[in-house]
Structures are given as structure tokens and as C-alpha cells.
């Protein structure tokens, strides 16, 4: 059965079809080409909030990974082609496969190989707990895990943006552990901003076909599901933060509350969202632009001082752009955005 047939069948049944239809069987196929590997989402209700069909890397008997462990994943079994069978009663298995696919694709998106280690070292994996007794989603360094609970009736582990955000926190903590102790100011904004940008890039690369993107990729600033957090996750009527903004560090420093975490974070996310939109205007491909920005972002944080300011990251991005060979002038693009955002270069 192909994806279109499955999608049509589920849409006919309606909400809850994936997990609650009696004897429902989902076959999840990994794509053969690494370049085309991604997640195929099916949303019977609205964009991306409730259910999903996930492509996973090939498995034999059960899914194994050197970096991540998912509670409930030990019960997911597959064949040599990467097929996983999930029955209607196995909601934890479904959610664990969902979390695994998102986390693994983000690790691959940032081109982190098996030599990468978490903040606590290579002797223990990152544990992801899809069903936790909390009213939030959070990365916890001391517990070496990410926990997902419920919020406003939504299972947060089933929301791609939320999972991607928390995995982003775990990755950045492993690269720049000095940031973790900050709860306000620019250092904290770098942590939140990296997590938000991770979510935006994940959607850009793996879920772009679920967005109403024009053929010339000219309407990215009109797509709230791409740029905002909160509304795009289906857990709030209003976005918590929006990367599609015009904030600059100069504006914020002149405000009465210059350390507002959300606004400072929006400067960071706005910088990378501007870069994503700018590169997309040349490549005419959102996934291609997303991969370019992901490579720039991870390289920038890997070379940054610990802990870095927002401008520290921007300086690294400018240096990286200067050395890139592209069909367009990416260095000038990055410099123009940096100037407009008020960064100290």
C-alpha cells in the first residue's frame, strides 16, 4: 500500500484513525536514498498535530541506535527493509517510533556521526520518554533524558516541532555546555534560539511538502507553521515566538526590559529564518536551503566560545559564509542580515 492510499484511507476514517481504529496496521517504510530520506506525515485533523506516519532507518528485528534510546522502542520490531508493524493498542510503540524518527533525522540533519557524544560523555545514550507524567516537554541534563507529557489535551511527543525543539536543546548542551546554567539574557536566548531553529529546519527539510509553499518558494514568510512556535504546535492560540520578525539587538538594548528572553530569542531565530528565506530565493528549494542553513548553524556553534552571545554566533556564520562556494553571493546575504539585526561583527 502506498502513502497516498494510506493517507486517503485514514482521512476517510477521521481523527484517531492511526491509533484507535480496531486492528489498524501501519507499515512504515524507510526510503532507500539517504538524500531523500525524510518523514512522511499524515494529518487527519489539522497540520501536523495529532498523528503521523514515519519513515525509519532500516532495522533488523528491533531498532538499535548508538546515541539515542526511546522508552517503548524495544517493543517495535521490523524487517530488513525497515518495515515496522504497529497495532492499534500499541500507542507507546507508535509514539516511541515517532520520537525516534524525528530525533534520528535531526542528528543526521546536523551531520553528527557516532563519534558525537552527549554532554555526559559517550558512556550513556540520551533517553527520550514519550509518555511522562508532566504538563510540558523538557530536556533534563542531570537525568540525561527528554520527557514529554500532555498540554491542553495534546500529547506533546506527537508534535514534530516540540520533539525537534527538545532534541535541539540536548544537542546544543553537548556542544556548548556552558550555556545551560543561564535562564535569562543573550546566553539563554542562544539556547532557546538554537532549539527553535532546529524545529524550523526540521520542518523545512522533512515536512516541507505539508506546507503550502509556492513553486518559486516566495511565500515562506506567509507560512506561520514554519516560522512560529506555539500556534504551529497546535497547543496555543497565539505563537510564543515568531522567527518572522524584524527585531535587532539595537532595538532590544534600548527597551525597558532588554533581557526579555522571548524577544532576544526572536533576534536569534529571525537571523537564521532570514537566512533560510534568502537562500531559498536562490535555490528555489526549501529542503536544500534548510540543509545549507543546518550545516552553517552547527559549524558556527561548534566553533563558538562557550558560552557565546548572539553576536558571537553571527560572527562565526559570517566567517563560514565567506569561505563557501555558491552560485550566489551568500557572504553578502549573511552580512546584510547581520547588519540589519544589529550584530557586533
Amino acid at each position: 500500500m502506498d502513502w497516498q492510499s494510506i493517507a486517503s484511507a485514514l482521512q476517510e476514517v477521521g481523527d484517531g484513525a492511526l491509533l484507535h481504529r480496531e486492528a489498524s496496521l501501519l507499515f512504515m517504510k524507510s526510503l532507500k536514498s539517504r538524500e531523500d530520506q525524510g518523514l512522511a506525515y499524515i494529518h487527519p485533523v489539522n497540520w501536523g498535530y495529532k498523528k503521523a506516519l514515519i519513515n525509519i532507518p532500516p532495522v533488523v528485528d528491533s531498532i538499535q541506535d548508538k546515541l539515542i534510546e526511546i522508552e517503548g522502542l524495544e517493543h517495535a520490531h521490523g524487517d530488513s527493509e525497515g518495515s515496522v508493524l504497529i497495532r492499534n493498542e500499541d500507542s507507546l510503540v507508535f509514539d516511541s517510533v515517532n520520537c525516534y524518527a524525528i530525533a534520528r533525522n535531526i542528528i543526521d540533519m546536523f551531520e553528527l556521526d557516532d563519534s558525537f557524544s552527549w554532554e555526559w560523555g559517550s558512556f550513556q545514550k540520551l533517553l527520550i520518554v514519550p509518555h511522562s507524567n508532566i504538563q510540558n516537554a523538557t530536556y533534563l541534563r542531570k537525568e540525561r533524558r527528554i520527557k514529554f507529557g500532555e498540554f491542553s489535551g495534546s500529547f506533546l511527543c506527537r508534535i514534530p516541532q516540540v520533539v525537534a525543539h527538545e532534541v535541539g536543546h540536548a544537542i546544543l548542551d553537548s556542544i556548548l555546555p556552558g550555556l545551560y546554567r543561564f535562564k535569562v539574557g543573550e546566553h539563554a536566548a542562544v539556547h532557546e534560539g538554537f532549539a527553535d531553529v532546529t524545529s524550523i529546519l526540521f520542518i523545512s527539510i522533512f515536512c516541507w511538502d505539508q506546507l503550502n509553499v509556492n513553486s518559486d518558494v516566495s511565500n515562506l514568510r506567509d507560512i506561520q507553521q514554519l516560522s512560529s512556535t506555539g500556534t504551529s504546535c497546535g497547543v496555543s492560540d497565539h505563537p510564543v515566538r515568531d522567527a518572522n520578525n524584524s527585531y535587532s539587538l539595537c532595538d532590544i538594548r534600548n527597551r525597558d526590559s532588554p533581557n526579555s528572553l522571548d524577544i532576544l530569542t526572536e533576534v536569534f531565530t529571525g537571523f537564521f529564518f532570514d537566512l533560510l528565506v534568502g537562500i531559498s530565493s536562490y535555490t528555489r528549494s526549501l529542503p536544500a536551503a534548510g540543509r545549507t542553513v543546518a550545516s552553517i548553524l552547527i559549524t558556527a556553534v561548534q566553533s563558538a566560545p562557550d558560552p557565546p552571545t548572539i553576536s558571537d554566533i553571527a560572527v562565526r556564520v559570517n566567517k563560514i559564509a565567506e569561505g563557501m562556494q555558491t552560485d550566489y553571493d551568500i557572504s553578502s546575504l549573511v552580512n546584510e542580515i547581520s547588519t540589519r539585526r544589529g550584530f557586533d561583527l
Side-chain angles (χ1 to χ4, degrees):
M1 182 180 292
D2 61 26
W3 292 118
Q4 292 299 323
S5 299
I6 296 174
S8 298
L10 292 175
Q11 287 170 350
E12 287 176 6
V13 175
D15 187 19
L18 259 76
L19 294 180
H20 306 299
R21 184 173 54 163
E22 184 176 358
S24 63
L25 301 178
L26 306 180
F27 293 91
M28 306 177 185
K29 291 287 186 178
S30 63
L31 303 182
K32 299 300 182 184
S33 169
R34 181 182 178 87
E35 181 179 350
D36 294 330
Q37 183 180 359
L39 308 185
Y41 283 88
I42 294 177
H43 311 301
V45 188
N46 31 37
W47 192 93
Y49 310 149
K50 301 298 183 182
K51 319 295 180 186
L53 272 175
I54 305 296
N55 295 318
I56 63 171
V59 295
V60 178
D61 185 42
S62 63
I63 300 169
Q64 301 293 329
D65 197 288
K66 293 183 178 181
L67 290 175
I68 47 181
E69 179 181 355
I70 317 288
E71 189 174 275
L73 196 61
E74 66 273 14
H75 303 298
H77 299 283
D79 59 25
S80 59
E81 295 183 354
S83 300
V84 175
L85 175 65
I86 296 180
R87 300 183 184 275
N88 63 307
E89 66 271 15
D90 295 330
S91 61
L92 176 58
V93 175
F94 172 86
D95 290 335
S96 67
V97 173
N98 182 37
C99 287
Y100 173 73
I102 295 172
R104 170 40 62 185
N105 275 280
I106 289 172
I107 291 170
D108 292 343
M109 176 182 81
F110 285 131
E111 299 181 343
L112 303 173
D113 58 26
D114 289 340
S115 65
F116 172 79
S117 63
W118 302 107
E119 188 276 336
W120 46 85
S122 58
F123 55 88
Q124 187 170 340
K125 302 176 184 180
L126 170 69
L127 176 64
I128 298 179
V129 183
H131 294 179
S132 183
N133 226 359
I134 61 174
Q135 298 295 313
N136 201 346
T138 185
Y139 161 68
L140 300 167
R141 176 198 280 181
K142 288 185 178 179
E143 296 185 26
R144 301 169 183 174
R145 67 189 60 194
I146 296 172
K147 291 182 177 181
F148 297 98
E150 293 185 51
F151 185 81
S152 297
S154 296
F155 288 94
L156 296 178
C157 64
R158 297 179 188 172
I159 301 171
Q161 296 94 326
V162 174
V163 178
H165 179 98
E166 297 304 328
V167 173
H169 276 308
I171 289 173
L172 187 62
D173 189 36
S174 305
I175 299 171
L176 296 170
L179 285 171
Y180 190 74
R181 69 181 186 272
F182 293 94
K183 304 304 178 185
V184 297
E186 279 196 46
H187 296 316
V190 171
H191 225 305
E192 285 300 318
F194 182 91
D196 281 355
V197 174
T198 298
S199 174
I200 291 169
L201 295 176
F202 175 81
I203 298 301
S204 300
I205 296 169
F206 299 107
C207 307
W208 65 272
D209 57 341
Q210 302 296 322
L211 304 171
N212 294 318
V213 180
N214 290 344
S215 58
D216 61 357
V217 202
S218 62
N219 67 328
L220 298 184
R221 294 192 182 278
D222 300 326
I223 303 175
Q224 192 177 56
Q225 294 102 324
L226 179 63
S227 66
S228 64
T229 60
T231 296
S232 61
C233 298
V235 296
S236 174
D237 293 333
H238 304 285
V240 176
R241 291 188 288 265
D242 196 336
N244 185 23
N245 65 75
S246 59
Y247 291 132
S248 74
L249 281 182
C250 296
D251 296 334
I252 293 172
R253 286 165 179 165
N254 292 330
R255 285 172 171 260
D256 293 333
S257 302
N259 289 326
S260 170
L261 179 57
D262 286 336
I263 298 176
L264 281 167
T265 301
E266 286 181 314
V267 174
F268 185 98
T269 57
F271 172 66
F272 284 98
F273 187 72
D274 287 351
L275 186 57
L276 178 69
V277 171
I279 294 175
S280 295
S281 70
Y282 292 105
T283 63
R284 303 299 185 189
S285 168
L286 182 56
R291 291 190 182 280
T292 298
V293 176
S295 177
I296 292 172
L297 173 60
I298 198 68
T299 304
V301 299
Q302 287 172 333
S303 62
D306 188 16
T309 63
I310 298 174
S311 288
D312 287 333
I313 301 297
V315 167
R316 269 74 190 170
V317 171
N318 275 267
K319 289 182 178 179
I320 293 166
E322 288 173 1
M324 293 178 64
Q325 300 294 322
T326 59
D327 295 333
Y328 50 93
D329 191 350
I330 190 171
S331 181
S332 294
L333 173 64
V334 171
N335 186 265
E336 183 276 323
I337 297 171
S338 300
T339 301
R340 177 157 40 85
R341 293 285 174 178
F343 297 144
D344 302 320
L345 301 179

